[in-house]
Amino acid sequence: MDLEEAKEFKDRCSQCAAVSWGLTDEGKYYCTSCHNVTERSREVINTGAIPNTKIQAINRGLKRKRKLEKGWDWYVCEGFQHILYQQAKALQTLGVGPELKNEVLHNFWKRYLQKSKQAYCKNPVYTSRRKTTVLEDNPSHSDWDSEPELLSDLSCPSFVESGAESQPDVHTQKPFPIIKASQSETASVCSGSLDGVEYSLRKEKGIVKMTVPRTLAFCYLSLLWQRETLTLADLLRFVEEEHIPYINAFQHFPEEMKLYGRDKGIFAIESWPNYEDIYKKIIEVATFLDLPRFPDITEDCYLHPNILCMKYLMEVNLPDEMHDLTCHVVKVTGMGEVDFLTFDPIAKKGKTVKYDVQAVAVIVVVLKLLFLLDDNLEWSLSNIAEKYNEKNEEDKPWFDFRKWYQVMKTAVDEKKQKWEEARAKNGRESTKTI
């Protein structure tokens, strides 16, 4: 927080009336008391320090891009492919196996391009209104081949080819053919990409348009297919901690991919992902791709409620003895059955289990069975446990609900405070993930 430079701003906060200001990364003033971000910003003197320099100013009138500024000829779907590639690399850095990027995510994305008629089909939508020439691979045209794992044409599982059009050219080695567009097309004043305007206006029934939030849906579906040790809440947490590209992910685009105008509206995201929103997009994408039944979630799988319950019990410092009770609840309710847990987009009509939410719910049910949680019994039992622990210091102490609550509330409040300060400093919308 640059409090010294913010002292010159003396207005009172519109929410809490305090006069205590800090500066966000974008130069806007925010209240250090309530984290309210104002529209006022500090005068910028050194323009060289302004972030997001890759976003070019929107051309006005009939001004055309100079030849040296043209960069590559690229399409919107290539931009999303690059984001997916960067997200897959980030997940691999976090410990996910390389096969997720090289095989699973690659095949899901390939299937999407085929289903949405953008590639791997006859008459792709992005060439339907243009006179273009499909060329052979030409390394001098672009360096997409520098990212071979995601962009190479790897062998696909049988479900990728089922129910979809076959590739017209079996020798094609890239999801995107290299396209030579006319100068009039690349000189568009509304978009850096060749189809930015057309993509923004495209509304075709039955087609799920790609968006930046849906890249997270693709990532989670790939993680679920691999039965990786990551829940949806974990994925969104890594996004918020900026371990996985999401906010301003376009900054990872190659310099030759010029981005401005309509492109910014497609790729720029200013708020963190919402759990329910991403969950709905996961179902939406899986249904659109017509995916088969996912690998079984068995008792030895990380996403099984028995394992997740143990994980969360340890994280919130609840007694280990509660695990036997959570396992009993899971067994009695049938939530541990393979057919209940395994994601099957077709058979279950596009519904899957919120594995992390389910595990937390089981723990809450067990706490309610033990303490009722009626804001009376839990405190009465805490008084009994406290007296027992004072008289029997050498024995194993009884669980004190009040003490646990106070410790956890302090830890949660501190974490929430740091989280809100970070969001306010970044000048971004604070949207909780779960």
Side-chain angles (χ1 to χ4, degrees), residues 103-382:
E103 300 173 14
V104 184
L105 182 56
H106 169 269
N107 290 328
F108 284 169
W109 178 241
K110 180 179 177 180
R111 187 172 180 84
Y112 172 79
L113 293 176
Q114 196 174 48
K115 286 280 189 178
S116 59
K117 301 178 181 179
Q118 297 182 73
Y120 295 109
C121 63
K122 297 178 181 179
N123 301 320
V125 66
Y126 57 74
T127 61
S128 61
R129 298 181 183 178
R130 293 185 173 90
K131 294 180 180 179
T132 59
T133 303
V134 179
L135 306 178
E136 296 298 328
D137 291 349
N138 181 3
S140 64
H141 182 83
S142 82
D143 67 357
W144 283 102
D145 54 351
S146 65
E147 298 165 352
E149 291 85 354
L150 184 62
L151 303 178
S152 60
D153 190 8
L154 300 175
S155 59
C156 303
S158 57
F159 75 81
V160 172
E161 303 299 338
S162 63
E165 299 181 49
S166 60
Q167 291 179 235
D169 184 4
V170 295
H171 300 292
T172 301
Q173 294 298 314
K174 295 177 183 292
F176 297 102
I178 296 173
I179 296 175
K180 183 179 180 181
S182 66
Q183 179 65 24
S184 61
E185 293 167 1
T186 60
S188 169
V189 298
C190 298
S191 172
S193 60
L194 293 176
D195 62 336
V197 177
E198 181 181 349
Y199 188 87
S200 299
L201 299 176
R202 184 185 179 192
K203 293 181 180 179
E204 187 175 343
K205 187 176 181 180
I207 297 295
V208 174
K209 284 181 65 174
M210 194 63 186
T211 62
V212 177
R214 287 194 176 103
T215 61
L216 297 182
F218 272 87
C219 288
Y220 180 75
L221 286 171
S222 302
L223 290 167
L224 183 57
W225 185 272
Q226 286 293 102
R227 302 193 304 176
E228 292 285 349
T229 58
L230 284 176
T231 63
L232 178 55
D234 292 328
L235 177 65
L236 300 187
R237 176 169 56 85
F238 285 135
V239 169
E240 286 202 18
E241 293 174 355
E242 301 185 348
H243 297 304
I244 298 175
Y246 183 76
I247 298 287
N248 295 333
F250 57 81
Q251 291 182 338
H252 297 279
F253 286 4
E255 290 289 345
E256 293 83 358
M257 290 178 66
K258 303 296 183 181
L259 180 133
Y260 60 90
R262 289 295 183 95
D263 299 327
K264 184 179 179 183
I266 296 171
F267 293 106
I269 295 293
E270 297 181 353
S271 61
W272 299 109
N274 175 272
Y275 186 99
E276 287 297 328
D277 179 58
I278 300 300
Y279 173 77
K280 290 178 182 178
K281 285 178 170 54
I282 289 168
I283 305 299
E284 186 181 47
V285 169
T287 304
F288 174 69
L289 297 182
D290 195 25
L291 297 179
R293 178 184 170 102
F294 277 50
D296 290 346
I297 304 297
T298 56
E299 290 187 9
D300 60 345
C301 178
Y302 175 83
L303 297 175
H304 193 278
N306 288 345
I307 297 179
L308 279 180
C309 282
M310 173 58 79
K311 173 180 180 292
Y312 293 147
L313 286 172
M314 295 174 63
E315 287 185 353
V316 297
N317 296 313
L318 285 169
D320 293 342
E321 291 79 2
M322 284 183 59
H323 186 238
D324 291 337
L325 295 173
T326 58
C327 290
H328 182 68
V329 170
V330 169
K331 182 178 181 180
V332 170
T333 57
M335 288 188 294
E337 298 296 328
V338 172
D339 289 339
F340 177 82
L341 295 172
T342 302
F343 184 31
D344 193 337
I346 300 176
K348 294 191 176 183
K349 298 181 180 180
K351 293 184 179 180
T352 187
V353 175
K354 300 176 183 177
Y355 301 99
D356 38 22
V357 176
Q358 175 185 261
V360 173
V362 170
I363 293 174
V364 172
V365 168
V366 171
L367 284 172
K368 198 167 183 63
L369 290 173
L370 292 174
F371 301 103
L372 193 60
L373 300 183
D374 60 355
D375 205 32
N376 183 23
L377 182 61
E378 63 266 33
W379 310 122
S380 300
L381 293 177
S382 296

Side-chain angles (χ1 to χ4, degrees), residues 46-94:
N46 182 11
T47 57
I50 299 178
N52 304 338
T53 54
K54 285 187 180 180
I55 303 177
Q56 306 296 321
I58 300 177
N59 292 317
R60 301 183 181 278
L62 297 177
K63 180 181 178 182
R64 294 176 178 271
K65 290 179 289 182
R66 291 178 300 175
K67 186 175 182 180
L68 294 177
E69 295 176 346
K70 184 171 73 68
W72 289 342
D73 296 339
W74 63 284
Y75 290 91
V76 169
C77 56
E78 289 180 293
F80 285 119
Q81 176 167 281
H82 196 85
I83 292 176
L84 283 170
Y85 178 79
Q86 295 298 328
Q87 290 174 340
K89 284 207 307 183
L91 286 170
Q92 189 172 341
T93 302
L94 292 169

